[in-house]
Amino acid sequence: MIVIVSGSGHRPARPLLRGLGGARLVTPRTIAGPGTRCDPADLPAATLGTRWGTLAAGDVTAVLACLPAVTPWDLPHIAGPERSFVAAELTALLALWLQAPALVVNRPVPGSLCGRGLDPGDVRWAAVEAGLPVAARSRAETRLTLAGDRVLPDGADPAAAELVRSLAKTLDATVLCVRLAREPDRGWCVHGVEPWWQAADGEVTAALGALITEGAR
């Protein structure tokens, strides 16, 4: 089973939902208390209660994390004064549950349920620390998406593709959507990042499907 974890403000692209046949969309509104069990000492046995039943980590082939954090706006069904508290509790719950499935794209880190690669300031800092070129005020010229070992679209400039791979390695990201600018004196430079799930097209979805299949072997 493929699970896509998303929120009201971070909907995945339609090709992603259509292309990964049978994927189950889990949002903060669909998470229910009954059936949830997340013991840090026994993560392989973790389960998540939803409106459709219990999701056992052992039954999940892959999780695509498309939600940085649960916010009060994701919980319109919760009474106003309680939304912030419930949002924080659900964020903590998902951060723990997302450690259990064998394949999670991208695994959570402190402060983000979908890994690094969304905060522009963090990305630029990481790139500078790794010695990667960062664009000054140049306008982005191209957008490339890394999915596992593939940089899409196919046929991208090899230098640009290598820069994306290096940035993804620095961020420990399995999937990453990067905007690049080419400067006359330095060549390709990191300009910014985008939520990879919003940029996902048919080609990216196919690459993700292959990545999930390979990871399930």
Side-chain angles (χ1 to χ4, degrees), residues 2-84:
I2 300 173
V3 175
I4 300 175
V5 178
S6 181
S8 58
H10 303 275
R11 290 292 182 181
R14 289 183 180 274
L16 192 61
L17 290 171
R18 291 197 305 263
L20 298 174
R24 176 164 292 182
L25 181 64
V26 172
T27 70
R29 292 196 65 173
T30 63
I31 297 174
T36 295
R37 178 179 180 273
C38 288
D39 182 353
D42 189 17
L43 284 178
T47 58
L48 186 66
T50 73
R51 291 181 182 177
W52 307 289
T54 301
L55 288 177
D59 295 334
V60 176
T61 305
V63 179
L64 305 181
C66 307
L67 178 67
V70 180
T71 71
W73 292 273
D74 292 311
L75 305 168
H77 59 299
I78 301 296
E82 304 296 328
R83 286 178 189 167
S84 294

